[in-house]
Amino acid sequence: DQQVKQNSPSLSVQEGRISILNCDYTNSMFDYFLWYKKYPAEGPTFLISISSIKDKNEDGRFTVFLNKSAKHLSLHIVPSQPGDSAVYFCAARSGGGSEKLVFGKGTKLTVNP
Amino acid sequence: GAGVSQSPRYKVTKRGQDVALRCDPISGHVSLYWYRQALGQGPEFLTYFNYEAQQDKSGLPNDRFSAERPEGSISTLTIQRTEQRDSAMYRCASSLRIGQGNEKLFFGSGTQLSVL
């Protein structure tokens, strides 16, 4: 029973265009949502996060949007660059005093020059 | 180095053997986490520590798995009587402070465990 779902295994976009990565969740008790980026042969690296009490957080080219009523979040990358090509994981914190993160399966983003 | 260090990088073992995976977190980081990642999947939570205290071990699959962090720094994940289904990438992560939800986790490169 997957609590965090990334339904698109892969996404391909042109350099300079917008990349939109989507994530759905089922547990309304999640209190923080995070995005991690992973290059081959490396561990995931933190990208951006958002509290469940907010609906948008922006950091440079990266913006995360949260729609609590739909239990949906998305990561926007504008403009996309070839160096953004990586696997992106959506994660959610369980809340209730635990720091446990629940991860989705990831979406592989390819940005073509 | 300045990052989270895990050893060994690769471990091949025979079914039934015990293995110990080591994690050296970033110096000064309070919290330490263990995750397991199967091919094509996201990281799956195993357990985490604040200092030397194990806070949540709900993700450990069964009693063959245990973890310790006796001095609040280096941690060891031990798998006893390994089985083929234990084969995966085992990832350690650390964070500077006790979690505030948006606390960055710094992941190591992982230990790839193969049980034959």
Side-chain angles (χ1 to χ4, degrees):
Chain A
D1 178 29
Q2 270 205 295
Q3 297 187 66
V4 176
K5 299 178 185 177
Q6 294 178 256
N7 292 318
S8 298
S10 63
L11 175 68
S12 184
V13 300
Q14 284 299 120
E15 181 178 7
R17 306 294 290 267
I18 185 171
S19 295
I20 300 176
L21 297 105
N22 293 303
C23 179
D24 297 294
Y25 63 95
T26 58
N27 188 343
S28 59
M29 298 303 293
F30 287 147
D31 62 356
Y32 266 95
F33 301 90
L34 308 94
W35 286 91
Y36 281 80
K37 178 170 76 172
K38 184 187 174 306
Y39 293 118
E42 296 182 8
T45 56
F46 172 82
L47 191 57
I48 192 170
S49 66
I50 187 168
S51 164
S52 62
I53 62 173
K54 304 214 169 167
D55 55 20
K56 178 182 174 181
N57 187 27
E58 189 172 353
D59 183 3
R61 297 185 298 114
F62 303 91
T63 302
V64 56
F65 295 93
L66 175 62
N67 182 335
K68 281 191 68 177
S69 61
K71 292 191 175 70
H72 177 84
L73 64 155
S74 60
L75 174 68
H76 293 211
I77 307 173
V78 183
S80 301
Q81 299 173 354
D84 296 329
S85 297
V87 177
Y88 289 78
F89 291 101
C90 173
R93 189 174 80 155
S94 295
S98 175
E99 296 307 314
K100 169 183 174 179
L101 292 182
V102 181
F103 283 82
K105 290 186 176 182
T107 296
K108 183 176 181 180
L109 173 66
T110 302
V111 180
N112 301 302
Chain B
V4 176
S5 178
Q6 292 187 247
S7 60
R9 184 70 181 89
Y10 301 93
K11 178 68 178 178
V12 180
T13 190
K14 291 184 178 178
R15 188 178 54 189
Q17 298 292 306
D18 298 350
V19 296
L21 312 180
R22 173 185 165 124
C23 173
D24 199 343
I26 295 173
S27 178
H29 276 203
V30 167
S31 299
L32 184 146
Y33 306 77
W34 284 100
Y35 284 81
R36 176 170 71 172
Q37 187 171 11
L39 199 61
Q41 304 291 315
E44 175 193 10
F45 173 81
L46 295 176
T47 185
Y48 85 97
F49 296 81
N50 287 336
Y51 301 101
E52 73 282 357
Q54 192 170 21
Q55 298 295 318
D56 184 345
K57 57 181 182 179
S58 64
L60 295 177
N62 50 61
D63 60 9
R64 295 186 297 106
F65 287 73
S66 63
E68 62 174 11
R69 193 187 185 199
E71 297 177 0
S73 179
I74 293 169
S75 176
T76 303
L77 177 69
T78 301
I79 309 173
Q80 296 178 313
R81 305 181 302 282
T82 52
E83 300 177 5
Q84 286 185 328
R85 60 177 171 158
D86 299 333
S87 298
M89 175 71 81
Y90 288 81
R91 296 197 185 277
C92 175
S94 68
S95 65
L96 180 60
R97 292 177 292 268
I98 293 174
Q100 297 170 24
N102 60 346
E103 194 62 40
K104 292 182 185 180
L105 294 189
F106 292 82
F107 281 87
S109 296
T111 294
Q112 181 67 54
L113 175 65
S114 297
V115 182
L116 304 179

